Amino acid sequence: MEPVVPPEITAELTQILSNLVLGDNEIRSNAEKAVNERLAHAPDLYLLALAQFAIVADTEVMRSFSLVLLRRLLFRPVPTPNTLSSTDSASSSTSQPVPSFHSLTAPRLSLFDHLSTSALTNLERLLLHSLSHEPAASVRRKTVDTISDVANQGMLRGRPWHALQAQVFSMTQATDVTNGVTGEGLRESAYRVFAGCPNLVMDLQTDAVLGVLGKGLRDEQSIDVRYAALLASVAYLSHADAHQLAQSLSLMYPILDTLPPLAHSINQPAMATSPTSIEDKTPTAHLQSFLVALTPLCSAHPNLFNPHLSALLTFLPPLLFANTDPGPTPTVRAPYPTGLGGGDDRSGSFSTPTGSPSRESPTAETEDEEEGQSLRLSALEFMLSLCEARPSMFRKSVNVGEGWIAVLVRACLEGMAELDEENPYGTPGGLSQWLTDDPTTSSAAENDSPPALYEQSLDRLACAMGGKAILPPSFQYIPSMMANYDWRSRHAGLMAIAAIAEGTGKVMAHELGRVVELVVPMFKDSHPRVRYAACQCVGQLCTDIEEVIEQYHEQLFAVLIPALEDPEPRVHSHAAAALINFCEGVERDTLLPYLDHIVQRLLKLLNPDADPTQVRSYVQEQVITTLAMVADASEATFAQYYHSIMPLLINVLRNANGADHRKMRLKAMECAGLIAIAVGREIFRPDSSVLVELLIRIQKSPFDPQDTQLSHYLMGTWAKICQAMGPEFEPYLPAVMPDLLATASMKADVSVYDEDEEKAEDREGWETVNMDGQTFGIRTAAIEEKCQAFETMVIYASTLNARYAPYLAQSLEITLPALRFYFHDGVREACALLLPMLLHCGQQSGTLTDQMIAATLQQLITVISDEQDSTFLASLYKALDDCVKLLGGRSVLNADYVNAIIQATKRQLHTLAQKRRSRAARPSSFLDDDREDLALLEEMEDFALEEMAKVLSMLNSNHELLVAISSVKELGTNQYQTEIEEDG
């Protein structure tokens, strides 16, 4: 192909690119600057040179690098000489604050937008040449990625790429070696282009598109072609409209027909006539890739799979279960035979896999097991995604549905029982390592281990399908698992009950007696991980099913309290954690008989007689947290323990200054605040000044960037002390209000990233969103602090009333605009709650001005008029109603205010009526899986309508809009609630 840029430019770029891939930071940094300088002055020339270099470079590495760099640079904002390259490391990436969310949606011109027509034409020509002439498959895939981006962005800008469409369709027919590229390679690349840019075919005749895709899916010569065609088919169906989907149902047959040959070949020796693949993959790995590629379609269009569920139910189950060797059978003489997982292992009706048959190479065995595990998890995710996307599909088809759910439940339970005693979560050390590890710093390996993934899947399945579908197959296995000789099965049974509690709570509540009978004996199990799981199970049940506390507190306290004396720190710490869940739902009178036993044991753990070097800090941190919750639940009765606990907490706050005790100091703050509230002002008063002085000292200490939670705990503790001290807290307002007001007035911290998306997402405490080819980040930690600041202001204003007056004007100035803080609903709710309190404070202190009243009423009415969130709309109307009544009722509203309220209410009634009519017009088949959400939405709308009615009744008890409110209510009539299955 003829060069499109001068040779000196090519030579210069060759040197720059060579420097970019070097390990020397200084050389690479200079090369990045050189790239930016040249792109800033002559983007056409250097982007074309980069595309040309992707064709002529001698090595595959440099051709691939050129294509990756070209793809990134094309759609970046136009650089200046000072802009860093996208190849820069994360440590030198830039983040530019953005003043408002709305500015993020403004068009952002990229280098692609600045290319001349002739440059674009030449760029497309170079990329098409690379697509058809590049001999290396790995490089050709980079070409496909770049072509897909150019095609997609061009179409968004009204520039179709007809030459690409024609060439790719031609490549799907290739059979012989052309330009050094095999026919299989050309076909694979063609289908990958369709996958990356489905718009190339969306406007064509459906039959023609199905013919091309079907041919690729049936390709007998290459697995890679079939895989690329599968990607293309999934992309096409995902982008198709309803009419195209209806015409494309036949495509599901060749799509699903790609799977059985791969499954069949897993246990068959490779034949000379087998389909080829350029990748060194086993049949197991290929099948796993195909299932992963197909899974997004399960979520996007689950109905496409409905006619094929029976066939899938025959094909998929064998992929979900490991090839198990049950090992030797226990006998009277050898009840714990070798090979069942250790000295405590026993055997039962629910077998736990112990590994596949031995192979010649241990490495090969490990790799095969990892591939097999990946395949199992991929098949599980495929089936689970269908359940989550369309639960009704399995509820209506009784035979298939029950079989489908039963298979998934069994697969999850077996997978959860595949813990490795010698390697519990990807790290060596076995049980001894698990016992010595700090559970508060759980590793990613533990959370991402296969047993944890199976547990998460069971949780998701229960939440999707509900109790009626999940409990019967689960309890077909769980009782036998709990009686199994193998500790891993007992552990899995307990963790399974905990996992399904949330999704099946409504139905499980009727079977609690049976569940408690299964769980309680496990607290005496000989294996510490089983006892740990028992604590986890009880804690989760207390959170998800309140009835378990009311009906079975005697049985559960009888095992939880002794568990605080378990010999293993991880177990007694987890028992203390489970007590928190118990105390959050228990009635005070229920807790009191057990209070002495609980507190005595907790104090012993907090201040043990053992060697201080053997004390685990995470145990003490957990105990402090549990004591706080026990105090909160037992209220004034906790006063008898006050003098034993508060000195210990003050000692922690005074002396726990090192990094190792950072978390304990935070927990001590929280606990001291809750105990102060529980015991009351009189008992707390002697220690209040000491505690306040310690908090001020901590607040003024040098900033520690590693102590990321300090401000959160300080703010929360100050609020608790205010509640405990009441009016006596007033002298300390100058110490707390400046920081509080500053936090409440913070703007949303939004940044623009020039780095790639993965690096942006790696930043802790940030959420990323992609718009217009650019990645934006929102610092969620700052927004949460802002919300907490407003919630703390609510506590101060409601507790201190007139004494809060010095900060009234500043608080109003910050609160009124925050009613439109759309980044966080909690901020807006707190502001709506705070406004009546601030007006009351002003009234009581005589500092409320007419300007404050006018600003408050005007802002409330304006926000009501524009509000689209029904939940918050109710809060706004309530705030308006409370404010007006506080100020004296209807008489404080002049004609302009009344008219504005009526107009805003008319607008909201019109909007709500339209929403309800639109939902009612949808076919019932579209509502099957959304009925519970719709019922909740309608309930929130009804709350808003009720608050509207209160405001209108205040204006005029016979107001004509009250009839309109009733009419809008009748449009709902709870048509969704009546059809919700009570199977939670």
Side-chain angles (χ1 to χ4, degrees):
M1 183 176 181
E2 291 295 322
V4 296
V5 294
E8 60 271 19
I9 299 295
T10 302
E12 180 187 17
L13 185 65
T14 301
Q15 184 60 52
I16 292 174
L17 293 181
S18 299
N19 291 341
L20 278 175
V21 297
L22 292 177
D24 188 293
N25 288 335
E26 184 177 354
I27 295 176
R28 190 174 68 248
S29 178
N30 290 332
E32 290 163 353
K33 292 177 182 177
V35 169
N36 280 311
E37 289 171 358
R38 283 149 181 78
L39 287 176
H41 294 104
D44 289 32
L45 191 61
Y46 282 92
L47 286 174
L48 288 177
L50 200 55
Q52 182 173 288
F53 191 73
I55 295 174
V56 302
D58 294 333
T59 65
E60 293 180 17
V61 171
M62 292 309 296
R63 296 199 299 276
S64 291
F65 179 65
S66 302
L67 288 162
V68 171
L69 187 59
L70 175 64
R71 183 185 175 199
R72 289 182 177 178
L73 294 176
L74 273 171
F75 303 105
R76 282 179 53 209
V78 178
T80 63
N82 294 325
T83 304
L84 290 174
S85 168
S86 64
T87 61
D88 198 8
S89 63
S91 60
S92 57
S93 61
T94 60
S95 65
Q96 308 143 6
V98 177
S100 70
F101 180 78
H102 299 288
S103 66
L104 302 182
T105 60
R108 300 179 58 82
L109 296 180
S110 63
L111 285 172
F112 181 83
D113 297 298
H114 284 264
L115 293 179
S116 65
T117 302
S118 62
L120 278 173
T121 301
N122 280 326
L123 175 65
E124 291 171 349
R125 191 161 55 86
L126 289 168
L127 290 173
L128 290 178
H129 184 274
S130 175
L131 182 66
S132 60
H133 290 72
E134 172 56 55
S138 60
V139 179
R140 203 163 55 249
R141 289 180 183 176
K142 299 293 191 302
T143 303
V144 168
D145 293 338
T146 306
I147 282 176
S148 297
D149 277 3
V150 171
N152 287 325
Q153 294 297 326
M155 290 178 188
L156 285 175
R157 292 160 172 79
R159 180 184 172 86
W161 195 350
H162 299 299
L164 172 64
Q165 187 183 58
Q167 178 169 316
V168 172
F169 268 100
S170 175
M171 288 168 61
T172 63
Q173 308 298 320
T175 55
D176 302 323
V177 176
T178 306
N179 300 318
V181 186
T182 64
E184 292 90 340
L186 291 172
R187 296 198 301 276
E188 184 214 4
S189 296
Y191 287 111
R192 283 187 176 272
V193 171
F194 287 143
C197 184
N199 283 329
L200 282 174
V201 298
M202 297 312 297
D203 293 334
L204 302 180
Q205 288 289 330
T206 302
D207 289 344
V209 176
L210 298 186
V212 171
L213 294 175
K215 182 177 180 182
L217 292 166
R218 297 185 181 95
D219 196 294
E220 296 181 355
Q221 296 178 308
S222 171
I223 294 175
D224 297 326
V225 174
R226 295 207 300 268
Y227 179 67
L230 177 63
L231 294 174
S233 300
V234 170
Y236 173 74
L237 292 172
S238 297
H239 287 77
D241 58 32
H243 179 67
Q244 288 171 317
L245 280 176
Q247 292 184 310
S248 304
L249 296 179
S250 61
L251 185 61
M252 291 301 297
Y253 289 94
I255 283 177
L256 296 176
D257 284 344
T258 61
L259 303 177
L262 294 172
H264 180 70
S265 63
I266 289 177
N267 297 315
Q268 300 296 323
M271 305 293 291
T273 57
S274 297
T276 63
S277 172
I278 59 169
E279 296 186 14
D280 185 19
K281 277 186 175 183
T282 64
T284 300
H286 276 300
L287 180 54
Q288 189 254 346
S289 298
F290 274 61
L291 286 171
V292 169
L294 193 51
T295 299
L297 193 60
C298 297
S299 301
H301 295 296
N303 283 339
L304 291 174
F305 295 86
N306 198 3
H308 309 278
L309 290 180
S310 295
L312 287 169
L313 187 56
T314 301
F315 170 75
L316 289 169
L319 306 181
L320 290 173
F321 305 107
N323 293 322
T324 62
D325 175 10
T329 303
T331 63
V332 174
R333 289 190 175 184
Y336 311 122
T338 303
L340 285 177
D344 185 49
D345 290 341
R346 295 171 250 178
S347 179
S349 60
F350 189 92
S351 64
T352 302
T354 59
S356 304
S358 61
R359 297 176 177 83
E360 295 181 2
S361 167
T363 304
E365 180 178 353
T366 301
E367 290 175 354
D368 286 353
E369 289 176 354
E370 289 177 355
E371 283 188 353
Q373 189 67 263
S374 296
L375 175 59
R376 292 170 62 195
L377 287 166
S378 297
L380 180 70
E381 182 64 27
F382 177 93
M383 297 181 73
L384 180 56
S385 295
L386 280 174
C387 289
E388 289 181 314
R390 194 53 53 85
S392 60
M393 197 160 66
F394 300 94
R395 293 192 185 113
K396 290 180 178 179
S397 180
V398 177
N399 293 332
V400 171
E402 289 182 355
W404 191 277
I405 301 304
V407 165
L408 281 174
V409 167
R410 181 187 162 199
C412 290
L413 294 176
E414 288 196 8
M416 290 170 64
E418 292 172 15
L419 289 164
D420 187 347
E421 177 90 49
E422 299 302 322
N423 190 15
Y425 38 77
T427 56
L431 179 60
S432 60
Q433 181 68 40
W434 183 87
L435 290 173
T436 56
D437 278 349
D438 182 347
T440 63
T441 57
S442 59
S443 65
E446 182 176 4
N447 295 327
D448 295 336
S449 65
L453 295 176
Y454 285 113
E455 181 183 338
Q456 295 162 22
S457 298
L458 185 61
D459 180 18
R460 290 166 54 194
L461 181 64
C463 290
M465 298 303 305
K468 286 185 178 179
I470 298 302
L471 286 182
S474 296
F475 279 88
Q476 179 183 347
Y477 299 109
I478 287 175
S480 63
M481 294 172 72
M482 307 278 265
N484 200 299
Y485 285 102
D486 191 330
W487 72 266
R488 295 172 298 177
S489 283
R490 304 196 299 277
H491 178 278
L494 288 164
M495 298 301 284
I497 294 174
I500 65 177
E502 179 185 2
T504 67
K506 291 179 182 178
V507 178
M508 191 187 286
H510 303 300
E511 301 290 339
L512 275 179
R514 181 184 176 196
V515 173
V516 170
E517 286 178 7
L518 285 171
V519 173
V520 165
M522 310 311 287
F523 278 84
K524 296 182 180 179
D525 196 276
S526 58
H527 200 286
R529 294 198 66 175
V530 177
R531 300 197 299 275
Y532 179 95
C535 296
Q536 172 70 22
C537 184
V538 168
Q540 199 63 50
L541 287 173
C542 291
T543 297
D544 295 325
I545 310 175
E546 294 180 358
E547 292 87 343
V548 74
I549 300 175
E550 299 169 8
Q551 299 175 20
Y552 300 98
H553 57 86
E554 291 184 11
Q555 295 94 316
L556 296 180
F557 270 132
V559 291
L560 264 182
I561 295 174
L564 294 172
E565 298 178 309
D566 191 279
E568 299 298 344
R570 283 200 72 167
V571 178
H572 60 237
S573 173
H574 210 51
L579 273 173
I580 291 179
N581 300 39
F582 211 111
C583 291
E584 286 178 341
V586 73
E587 293 293 332
R588 176 177 173 274
D589 292 341
T590 302
L591 176 62
L592 292 184
Y594 307 100
L595 200 56
D596 272 340
H597 303 290
I598 294 172
V599 175
Q600 287 171 8
R601 285 165 175 80
L602 290 175
L603 285 175
K604 186 175 180 180
L605 292 175
L606 182 61
N607 196 23
D609 300 328
D611 181 355
T613 60
Q614 301 300 314
V615 176
R616 308 288 176 86
S617 60
Y618 72 81
V619 174
Q620 293 180 307
E621 292 160 8
Q622 181 59 67
V623 167
I624 290 173
T625 304
T626 305
L627 280 170
M629 293 299 105
V630 171
D632 188 46
S634 58
E635 300 173 354
T637 311
F638 198 78
Q640 59 185 303
Y641 311 106
Y642 177 84
H643 296 292
S644 300
I645 298 172
M646 187 59 80
L648 295 174
L649 299 175
I650 290 176
N651 186 54
V652 170
L653 294 176
R654 183 177 286 124
N655 300 312
N657 299 316
D660 292 342
H661 299 98
R662 195 180 285 140
K663 188 181 294 185
M664 189 180 298
R665 184 175 67 172
L666 300 178
K667 298 293 185 183
M669 276 186 215
E670 180 183 47
C671 185
L674 285 170
I675 289 177
I677 294 174
V679 300
R681 191 181 314 166
E682 297 300 323
I683 294 176
F684 173 58
R685 184 179 288 119
D687 293 310
S688 61
S689 59
V690 177
L691 185 57
V692 166
E693 288 172 7
L694 287 170
L695 290 177
I696 292 175
R697 190 190 77 178
I698 294 170
Q699 186 169 280
K700 291 182 177 180
S701 61
F703 175 70
D704 181 359
Q706 300 301 317
D707 200 353
T708 56
Q709 292 187 302
L710 178 60
S711 61
H712 165 73
Y713 276 89
L714 267 174
M715 207 184 307
T717 304
W718 280 124
K720 293 177 180 69
I721 291 177
C722 176
Q723 289 174 283
M725 296 181 68
E728 297 175 17
F729 185 76
E730 182 187 1
Y732 303 114
L733 280 178
V736 298
M737 285 306 298
D739 286 347
L740 186 69
L741 292 170
T743 302
S745 59
M746 284 193 307
K747 305 295 183 185
D749 193 351
V750 183
S751 296
V752 184
Y753 295 103
D754 282 339
E755 65 216 85
D756 59 82
E757 180 186 349
E758 288 183 355
K759 292 177 182 175
E761 289 179 343
D762 284 343
R763 295 184 63 179
E764 184 177 354
W766 288 72
E767 288 184 1
T768 57
V769 59
N770 296 310
M771 288 185 294
D772 195 27
Q774 192 70 33
T775 302
F776 302 96
I778 302 173
R779 192 162 78 91
T780 53
I783 295 176
E784 293 295 339
E785 284 185 11
K786 182 183 180 80
C787 180
Q788 187 186 10
F790 278 108
E791 291 170 346
T792 303
M793 289 165 66
V794 168
I795 292 172
Y796 289 169
S798 62
T799 303
L800 299 173
N801 293 317
R803 293 175 175 82
Y804 188 75
Y807 303 96
L808 172 61
Q810 286 175 278
S811 298
L812 270 175
E813 185 179 347
I814 294 170
T815 303
L816 289 174
L819 288 171
R820 293 183 180 274
F821 190 79
Y822 297 110
F823 292 102
H824 196 293
D825 292 340
V827 170
R828 306 174 74 207
E829 291 286 354
C831 290
L833 188 62
L834 179 59
L835 283 176
M837 297 177 183
L838 293 178
L839 295 187
H840 180 65
C841 164
Q843 269 190 337
Q844 295 293 310
S845 60
T847 57
L848 187 64
T849 66
D850 291 340
Q851 290 83 356
M852 291 178 179
I853 295 172
T856 301
L857 295 178
Q858 183 63 45
Q859 180 72 344
L860 276 171
I861 296 169
T862 302
V863 176
I864 284 174
S865 180
D866 299 333
E867 187 55 46
Q868 298 180 4
D869 181 354
S870 302
T871 304
F872 187 54
L873 186 62
S875 301
L876 287 171
Y877 271 104
K878 185 178 189 310
L880 178 61
D881 187 43
D882 291 344
C883 287
V884 173
K885 288 178 179 176
L886 190 69
L887 295 169
R890 167 70 175 81
S891 59
V892 302
L893 298 175
N894 59 34
D896 290 338
Y897 284 136
V898 173
N899 182 60
I901 292 172
I902 291 172
Q903 294 305 315
T905 302
K906 284 182 177 179
R907 180 175 179 178
Q908 289 295 345
L909 285 172
H910 177 70
T911 301
L912 287 172
Q914 279 188 320
K915 288 180 179 178
R916 291 193 165 191
R917 290 192 186 101
S918 176
R919 290 198 295 265
R922 293 169 63 187
S924 59
S925 59
F926 286 89
L927 305 177
D928 286 340
D929 300 311
D930 300 325
R931 295 193 182 279
E932 192 162 357
D933 292 337
L934 291 171
L936 180 60
L937 175 60
E938 188 175 283
E939 186 179 2
M940 294 299 102
E941 292 173 351
D942 285 344
F943 285 146
L945 292 168
E946 289 169 8
E947 294 299 334
M948 276 186 207
K950 290 178 183 178
V951 171
L952 291 174
S953 297
M954 176 185 61
L955 299 179
N956 181 353
S957 58
N958 296 312
H959 200 285
E960 60 184 9
L961 286 182
L962 291 171
V963 177
I965 289 176
S966 299
S967 299
V968 174
K969 275 190 175 183
E970 290 174 1
L971 290 175
T973 63
N974 261 341
Q975 59 173 311
Y976 310 114
Q977 184 67 45
T978 56
E979 298 186 45
I980 294 175
E981 293 184 22
E982 291 296 324
D983 64 350

PDB file of all heavy atoms in Angstrom, residues 306-319:
ATOM      1  N   ASN A 306     -37.033 -18.898  26.225  1.00  0.00           N
ATOM      2  CA  ASN A 306     -38.188 -19.605  26.771  1.00  0.00           C
ATOM      3  C   ASN A 306     -38.502 -20.903  26.019  1.00  0.00           C
ATOM      4  O   ASN A 306     -38.720 -21.949  26.647  1.00  0.00           O
ATOM      5  CB  ASN A 306     -39.406 -18.678  26.775  1.00  0.00           C
ATOM      6  CG  ASN A 306     -40.494 -19.166  27.700  1.00  0.00           C
ATOM      7  OD1 ASN A 306     -40.332 -20.171  28.390  1.00  0.00           O
ATOM      8  ND2 ASN A 306     -41.614 -18.471  27.718  1.00  0.00           N
ATOM      9  N   PRO A 307     -38.520 -20.899  24.665  1.00  0.00           N
ATOM     10  CA  PRO A 307     -38.830 -22.153  23.959  1.00  0.00           C
ATOM     11  C   PRO A 307     -37.763 -23.231  24.124  1.00  0.00           C
ATOM     12  O   PRO A 307     -38.000 -24.386  23.779  1.00  0.00           O
ATOM     13  CB  PRO A 307     -38.924 -21.709  22.488  1.00  0.00           C
ATOM     14  CG  PRO A 307     -39.076 -20.222  22.522  1.00  0.00           C
ATOM     15  CD  PRO A 307     -38.353 -19.765  23.726  1.00  0.00           C
ATOM     16  N   HIS A 308     -36.602 -22.861  24.635  1.00  0.00           N
ATOM     17  CA  HIS A 308     -35.461 -23.780  24.679  1.00  0.00           C
ATOM     18  C   HIS A 308     -35.133 -24.237  26.098  1.00  0.00           C
ATOM     19  O   HIS A 308     -34.111 -24.897  26.300  1.00  0.00           O
ATOM     20  CB  HIS A 308     -34.229 -23.105  24.061  1.00  0.00           C
ATOM     21  CG  HIS A 308     -34.471 -22.518  22.712  1.00  0.00           C
ATOM     22  ND1 HIS A 308     -34.455 -23.260  21.554  1.00  0.00           N
ATOM     23  CD2 HIS A 308     -34.778 -21.245  22.341  1.00  0.00           C
ATOM     24  CE1 HIS A 308     -34.717 -22.467  20.521  1.00  0.00           C
ATOM     25  NE2 HIS A 308     -34.921 -21.245  20.970  1.00  0.00           N
ATOM     26  N   LEU A 309     -35.974 -23.899  27.062  1.00  0.00           N
ATOM     27  CA  LEU A 309     -35.642 -24.211  28.450  1.00  0.00           C
ATOM     28  C   LEU A 309     -35.533 -25.709  28.695  1.00  0.00           C
ATOM     29  O   LEU A 309     -34.655 -26.164  29.430  1.00  0.00           O
ATOM     30  CB  LEU A 309     -36.683 -23.595  29.391  1.00  0.00           C
ATOM     31  CG  LEU A 309     -36.669 -22.062  29.505  1.00  0.00           C
ATOM     32  CD1 LEU A 309     -37.746 -21.593  30.481  1.00  0.00           C
ATOM     33  CD2 LEU A 309     -35.303 -21.551  29.932  1.00  0.00           C
ATOM     34  N   SER A 310     -36.418 -26.468  28.089  1.00  0.00           N
ATOM     35  CA  SER A 310     -36.358 -27.925  28.298  1.00  0.00           C
ATOM     36  C   SER A 310     -35.052 -28.502  27.780  1.00  0.00           C
ATOM     37  O   SER A 310     -34.409 -29.333  28.441  1.00  0.00           O
ATOM     38  CB  SER A 310     -37.545 -28.600  27.604  1.00  0.00           C
ATOM     39  OG  SER A 310     -38.758 -28.210  28.201  1.00  0.00           O
ATOM     40  N   ALA A 311     -34.643 -28.066  26.600  1.00  0.00           N
ATOM     41  CA  ALA A 311     -33.386 -28.552  26.036  1.00  0.00           C
ATOM     42  C   ALA A 311     -32.204 -28.108  26.884  1.00  0.00           C
ATOM     43  O   ALA A 311     -31.264 -28.880  27.124  1.00  0.00           O
ATOM     44  CB  ALA A 311     -33.232 -28.052  24.597  1.00  0.00           C
ATOM     45  N   LEU A 312     -32.235 -26.861  27.343  1.00  0.00           N
ATOM     46  CA  LEU A 312     -31.145 -26.360  28.180  1.00  0.00           C
ATOM     47  C   LEU A 312     -31.095 -27.109  29.505  1.00  0.00           C
ATOM     48  O   LEU A 312     -30.007 -27.348  30.051  1.00  0.00           O
ATOM     49  CB  LEU A 312     -31.329 -24.862  28.430  1.00  0.00           C
ATOM     50  CG  LEU A 312     -31.042 -23.940  27.239  1.00  0.00           C
ATOM     51  CD1 LEU A 312     -31.504 -22.518  27.530  1.00  0.00           C
ATOM     52  CD2 LEU A 312     -29.549 -23.948  26.899  1.00  0.00           C
ATOM     53  N   LEU A 313     -32.250 -27.492  30.021  1.00  0.00           N
ATOM     54  CA  LEU A 313     -32.286 -28.212  31.279  1.00  0.00           C
ATOM     55  C   LEU A 313     -31.685 -29.609  31.136  1.00  0.00           C
ATOM     56  O   LEU A 313     -31.217 -30.196  32.106  1.00  0.00           O
ATOM     57  CB  LEU A 313     -33.729 -28.304  31.789  1.00  0.00           C
ATOM     58  CG  LEU A 313     -33.926 -28.891  33.186  1.00  0.00           C
ATOM     59  CD1 LEU A 313     -33.112 -28.129  34.215  1.00  0.00           C
ATOM     60  CD2 LEU A 313     -35.412 -28.873  33.569  1.00  0.00           C
ATOM     61  N   THR A 314     -31.690 -30.126  29.949  1.00  0.00           N
ATOM     62  CA  THR A 314     -31.026 -31.411  29.693  1.00  0.00           C
ATOM     63  C   THR A 314     -29.525 -31.224  29.523  1.00  0.00           C
ATOM     64  O   THR A 314     -28.722 -32.037  29.995  1.00  0.00           O
ATOM     65  CB  THR A 314     -31.606 -32.062  28.426  1.00  0.00           C
ATOM     66  OG1 THR A 314     -33.008 -32.254  28.608  1.00  0.00           O
ATOM     67  CG2 THR A 314     -30.928 -33.390  28.135  1.00  0.00           C
ATOM     68  N   PHE A 315     -29.144 -30.121  28.876  1.00  0.00           N
ATOM     69  CA  PHE A 315     -27.738 -29.914  28.516  1.00  0.00           C
ATOM     70  C   PHE A 315     -26.898 -29.359  29.669  1.00  0.00           C
ATOM     71  O   PHE A 315     -25.759 -29.786  29.890  1.00  0.00           O
ATOM     72  CB  PHE A 315     -27.669 -28.960  27.319  1.00  0.00           C
ATOM     73  CG  PHE A 315     -26.281 -28.482  27.007  1.00  0.00           C
ATOM     74  CD1 PHE A 315     -25.367 -29.316  26.401  1.00  0.00           C
ATOM     75  CD2 PHE A 315     -25.888 -27.186  27.335  1.00  0.00           C
ATOM     76  CE1 PHE A 315     -24.083 -28.887  26.121  1.00  0.00           C
ATOM     77  CE2 PHE A 315     -24.608 -26.743  27.053  1.00  0.00           C
ATOM     78  CZ  PHE A 315     -23.702 -27.590  26.438  1.00  0.00           C
ATOM     79  N   LEU A 316     -27.426 -28.409  30.433  1.00  0.00           N
ATOM     80  CA  LEU A 316     -26.600 -27.646  31.370  1.00  0.00           C
ATOM     81  C   LEU A 316     -26.247 -28.366  32.672  1.00  0.00           C
ATOM     82  O   LEU A 316     -25.124 -28.206  33.170  1.00  0.00           O
ATOM     83  CB  LEU A 316     -27.278 -26.314  31.684  1.00  0.00           C
ATOM     84  CG  LEU A 316     -27.278 -25.292  30.544  1.00  0.00           C
ATOM     85  CD1 LEU A 316     -28.199 -24.128  30.886  1.00  0.00           C
ATOM     86  CD2 LEU A 316     -25.864 -24.787  30.263  1.00  0.00           C
ATOM     87  N   PRO A 317     -27.152 -29.134  33.301  1.00  0.00           N
ATOM     88  CA  PRO A 317     -26.830 -29.702  34.612  1.00  0.00           C
ATOM     89  C   PRO A 317     -25.516 -30.470  34.686  1.00  0.00           C
ATOM     90  O   PRO A 317     -24.777 -30.300  35.670  1.00  0.00           O
ATOM     91  CB  PRO A 317     -28.037 -30.606  34.912  1.00  0.00           C
ATOM     92  CG  PRO A 317     -29.168 -29.907  34.233  1.00  0.00           C
ATOM     93  CD  PRO A 317     -28.581 -29.373  32.955  1.00  0.00           C
ATOM     94  N   PRO A 318     -25.151 -31.298  33.697  1.00  0.00           N
ATOM     95  CA  PRO A 318     -23.856 -31.993  33.828  1.00  0.00           C
ATOM     96  C   PRO A 318     -22.667 -31.044  33.911  1.00  0.00           C
ATOM     97  O   PRO A 318     -21.607 -31.427  34.417  1.00  0.00           O
ATOM     98  CB  PRO A 318     -23.796 -32.843  32.543  1.00  0.00           C
ATOM     99  CG  PRO A 318     -25.220 -33.033  32.147  1.00  0.00           C
ATOM    100  CD  PRO A 318     -25.902 -31.761  32.510  1.00  0.00           C
ATOM    101  N   LEU A 319     -22.833 -29.815  33.411  1.00  0.00           N
ATOM    102  CA  LEU A 319     -21.728 -28.855  33.469  1.00  0.00           C
ATOM    103  C   LEU A 319     -21.586 -28.233  34.846  1.00  0.00           C
ATOM    104  O   LEU A 319     -20.536 -27.665  35.168  1.00  0.00           O
ATOM    105  CB  LEU A 319     -21.947 -27.732  32.446  1.00  0.00           C
ATOM    106  CG  LEU A 319     -22.190 -28.132  30.999  1.00  0.00           C
ATOM    107  CD1 LEU A 319     -22.359 -26.895  30.140  1.00  0.00           C
ATOM    108  CD2 LEU A 319     -21.041 -28.986  30.478  1.00  0.00           C
TER     109      LEU A 319
END
